[in-house]
Amino acid sequence: MAILIEHADVGLAESDHRIANNLASLSGAIRLQRNAVSRSGKPLTADQVCQLLDDISARIEVTAKLHKSLALAGNGNGVDLGNFLQEIAEMIGALGPERKMNLTVACSGENHIEPRHALHAGLITAELLTNAVKYAHPTGVPVSIQVRCETNDDGSFLVEVTDDGIGFPENFDPATDGGLGFQLMRALTRGLNAELQFEHDSLGVCARLVKPGIFGVSGIEHTPAVKGN
């Protein structure tokens, strides 16, 4: 038995296995959030509960967009990372307060990546965008965010999210500090066998997710981030 998608046959067992794996990754992210709330031992306000549900909703939406991308492609080649991140960025922008984000997305390379890799990259990107909207400009000034991605035929890829905000607090180390969002991003990065690098100063934050290729050597050429206006 097979599912017909855009004139391409995808085995039902393979499709179900893919969905199960991605839902397991999503469940792991939600469990991490649940455990963090439990360990805090603090009651949540109505606003905090709403934020928690918004975060979970965004992660479910990322997973839904992934499977929509796979269904529309229907060619077994994987996920178009540029289009996928564009959809995620627009979704995060729609969830936030009106006119809080000025967004540009630029991607190079026409290579597709594995669905599991795309899900991890999408969840990390959604977290980075959400953090930028929340914290880049405490005074409420709209944040300018640039999303850049590159894909290569060796399976390597890069996702870069840059904002023009105030940067991290003094002595903040993104490799070890931060709350649930940073814990989740670090866990997802480990699951990718990738690196999540940060550059930050008073002109903004640049986060760079770097996934090496199948032989452990990335064909991606790193370029300095441009921060600020």
Side-chain angles (χ1 to χ4, degrees):
M1 183 177 180
I3 301 173
L4 187 65
I5 303 176
E6 295 289 321
H7 308 293
D9 289 325
V10 177
L12 182 58
E14 178 185 350
S15 178
D16 286 346
H17 182 68
R18 175 188 293 164
I19 292 171
N21 283 343
N22 291 337
L23 288 177
S25 294
L26 176 62
S27 176
I30 295 173
R31 246 190 338 266
L32 182 63
Q33 197 160 22
R34 181 262 183 209
N35 291 341
V37 172
S38 177
R39 283 194 302 270
S40 73
K42 299 178 181 178
L44 299 180
T45 65
D47 286 345
Q48 289 172 324
V49 171
C50 288
Q51 183 60 64
L52 188 67
L53 293 174
D54 283 344
D55 290 344
I56 293 172
S57 174
R59 289 164 191 151
I60 294 172
E61 187 71 17
V62 168
T63 307
K65 289 185 181 300
L66 171 70
H67 286 281
K68 178 183 176 183
S69 296
L70 290 168
L72 291 176
N75 53 20
N77 291 336
V79 178
D80 183 319
L81 184 60
N83 289 341
F84 183 46
L85 295 184
Q86 178 77 49
E87 289 191 2
I88 290 172
E90 291 172 356
M91 180 265 293
I92 295 296
L95 287 177
E98 188 177 1
R99 295 185 295 276
K100 283 284 290 182
M101 179 171 68
N102 299 318
L103 177 72
T104 59
V105 180
C107 293
S108 60
E110 298 182 355
N111 300 287
H112 291 60
I113 67 173
E114 294 182 20
R116 184 179 66 85
H117 293 173
L119 178 59
H120 283 223
L123 290 170
I124 292 169
T125 301
E127 194 66 39
L128 291 169
L129 290 169
T130 300
N131 284 348
V133 172
K134 287 181 183 177
Y135 305 119
H137 290 299
T139 59
V141 175
V143 58
S144 293
I145 305 176
Q146 299 174 2
V147 178
R148 184 173 72 89
C149 70
E150 300 175 16
T151 57
N152 294 281
D153 56 11
D154 65 350
S156 65
F157 64 86
L158 172 146
V159 177
E160 191 174 83
V161 179
T162 306
D163 68 55
D164 67 344
I166 61 173
F168 292 138
E170 188 176 359
N171 299 323
F172 181 88
D173 183 355
T176 56
D177 296 337
L180 175 64
F182 277 90
Q183 294 175 40
L184 175 61
M185 288 190 288
R186 290 192 287 263
L188 291 167
T189 301
R190 289 193 297 271
L192 272 175
N193 293 319
E195 292 183 23
L196 184 59
Q197 308 159 352
F198 288 89
E199 298 175 12
H200 56 98
D201 55 30
S202 59
L203 296 178
V205 174
C206 174
R208 185 179 294 115
L209 176 67
V210 181
K211 168 62 178 173
I214 55 176
F215 298 111
V217 178
S218 172
I220 295 167
E221 179 180 353
H222 294 184
T223 55
V226 178
K227 293 186 288 188
N229 295 324

